[in-house]
Amino acid sequence: MQLVGYEPSGRGSALLVGDDGAIEHQPLETGTSLAYTLESRHCAGTIHDDDHLACKRPSAPYCEFHTSTWVCARCTGTCLKDEMDCYQEHAVYIAAFAPNTFKVGVTKSRRLETRLREQGADRAAHIHTVSNGRIAREIEAEIAKRLVDRVRTPTKVASLAATVDEAAWDATLAEFDVLERVTLDYNFECERQPVPETVAAGTVIGVKGRLLVLENGGTTYAVDMRDLVGYTVASGETSRNLQSSLGSFG
């Protein structure tokens, strides 16, 4: 078996497990027990029509033949495709990651809340609605001169046990004509900062974006599910030593 993908929050959180060409969806609902031992890691291959096409090349999570780049992610308003095709209505938004990281982003209007949950945002403000992706990317590029347009995983891990700085959030939004404010709830809370770890064994506390929060041996871990992709796995909890939080010794 191999971990070949994942579904973040907003898309029915799950780990995707490839087994002899078939794909099993391992749900990540709160209280679910996971018991996978991570073994070797290599290219996760590709998924086509819910079938797994394996690849044995050593690069992980993907080799050069299975690495895909979404060209629209690099767009700043000048289309990088042979022909522009983003004519659907788009939303420009500001997303908040506790306590005080604020990110500008764009998405198709119909996917706004789903996209925010996929990223693990705590709050958001919809600030523009435009007719196509090119205009949205132009606006995003201008705002990105003063706000970030990427949020790294350590920042998202730090947000798990934090709350949004309301004063800083309100001050950031003061310069925009806000169309709608959104508060995101992921149905779990962390009393203390989870320990970053790459592990797939324990009891699921919740999923926020692509961060899987697990309890194992009295310690709460935050797992970036992208770091799991490519690992071959065996059933049964890991026997390796994991970093513990100080609270687990209380």
Side-chain angles (χ1 to χ4, degrees), residues 203-232:
T203 301
V204 175
I205 302 300
V207 177
K208 186 179 182 186
R210 69 170 192 250
L211 294 180
L212 168 62
V213 182
L214 295 171
E215 190 280 329
N216 186 313
T219 295
T220 303
Y221 295 99
V223 183
D224 185 342
M225 290 191 286
R226 186 172 61 180
D227 292 340
L228 295 175
V229 175
Y231 273 103
T232 57

Side-chain angles (χ1 to χ4, degrees), residues 190-205:
C190 295
E191 295 182 358
R192 60 172 64 90
Q193 184 65 49
V195 177
E197 184 60 271
T198 303
V199 64
T203 301
V204 175
I205 302 300

Side-chain angles (χ1 to χ4, degrees), residues 14-78:
L15 291 175
L16 307 184
V17 184
D19 189 6
D20 289 332
I23 295 291
E24 174 190 346
H25 287 68
Q26 169 60 66
L28 298 174
E29 299 171 356
T30 299
T32 299
S33 294
L34 300 181
Y36 294 113
T37 296
L38 304 183
E39 298 182 331
S40 60
R41 195 183 190 203
H42 58 82
C43 178
T46 187
I47 297 173
H48 181 69
D49 291 338
D50 217 28
D51 292 326
H52 177 229
L53 304 178
C55 176
K56 296 298 184 182
R57 294 182 179 89
S59 298
Y62 300 103
C63 70
E64 60 182 307
F65 298 101
H66 293 114
T67 298
S68 61
T69 301
W70 184 42
V71 67
C72 295
R74 302 198 307 270
C75 177
T76 57
T78 301

